[in-house]
Amino acid sequence: DGGITQSPKYLFRKEGQNVTLSCEQNLNHDAMYWYRQDPGQGLRLIYYSQIVNDFQKGDIAEGYSVSREKKESFPLTVTSAQKNPTAFYLCASSISRLAGGRNEQFFGPGTRLTVL
Amino acid sequence: SQELEQSPQSLIVQEGKNLTINCTSSKTLYGLYWYKQKYGEGLIFLMMLQKGGEEKSHEKITAKLDEKKQQSSLHITASQPSHAGIYLCGARNTGTASKLTFGTGTRLQVTL
């Protein structure tokens, strides 16, 4: 079955520690995205990648880093510089980096990060 | 950047009743996506609208995009408990890029 997987589903981190969230897709999609969701604030874009070895900052990139070494994988690192990292993190992918056609984003099940 | 305003923020309806959720932008919507989310889960794609005046339906859910392409509505007919969840609209920022800006969501509860 094709889809997007995120791991782990729940993650606990001590303050001051970096943590990496995994996102893998087998849909052969070019573009991948990371969002953060807080109660009452909808989804906010952290980083996105339109093609392998390239990525751009979204609206709230401070305190986060990403890499895109393989088409299938787009891991997100939450660093100790992120002041309020407790949130629900969602990864998504779309077939193309360009608009045109339906080109909807497919979402993973999410990772809930809690900083203790 | 584009901002999307959704209304209402939350909605409680009795099973069998109709309801409408709105999504409004201050800028032209190049592509408007509707998603549904169960609490603590990922988003499920519902429909995408692109042309002014466009209307699409899937089962008991109908989405419309106004002629000016600045407002979209999602209408559910004869609501069922399975319709409960959070509905989010997302829009392309430009006509050439695939990234989306999302509204804050509408939480729908359906009572028996």
Side-chain angles (χ1 to χ4, degrees), chain A residues 9 31 33 35 37 40-43 45 48 88 90 94 96-105 107-109 112, chain B residues 1 33 35 37 39-43 45 48 50 56 86 88 92 94-105:
Chain A
K9 187 162 181 64
Y33 314 81
Y35 295 92
Q37 187 176 33
Q41 292 196 44
L43 274 65
L45 184 65
Y48 63 104
F88 188 53
L90 286 159
S94 63
S96 170
R97 62 187 177 90
L98 299 174
R102 203 167 80 175
N103 198 23
E104 74 269 29
Q105 292 184 15
F107 283 80
R112 186 167 297 280
Chain B
S1 63
Y33 298 76
Y35 286 88
Q37 182 184 30
Y39 180 76
E41 298 180 9
L43 277 64
F45 171 75
M48 182 259 189
Q50 217 167 1
K56 288 186 179 177
I86 301 170
L88 296 109
R92 285 188 196 142
T94 71
T96 57
S98 62
K99 65 173 186 163
L100 301 178
T101 297
F102 283 89
T104 54

Side-chain angles (χ1 to χ4, degrees), chain B residues 79-91:
Chain B
S79 58
Q80 300 169 347
S82 61
H83 288 129
I86 301 170
Y87 289 83
L88 296 109
C89 62

Side-chain angles (χ1 to χ4, degrees), chain B residues 13 20 22 26-27 29 40 46 48 52 69 73 75 79-80 90-91 94-95 99 103 106 112:
Chain B
V13 299
T20 299
N22 293 302
S26 57
K27 300 181 181 180
L29 298 166
L46 296 175
M48 182 259 189
K69 294 172 58 175
S73 61
H75 184 79
S79 58
Q80 300 169 347
T94 71
K99 65 173 186 163
T106 295
L112 298 175

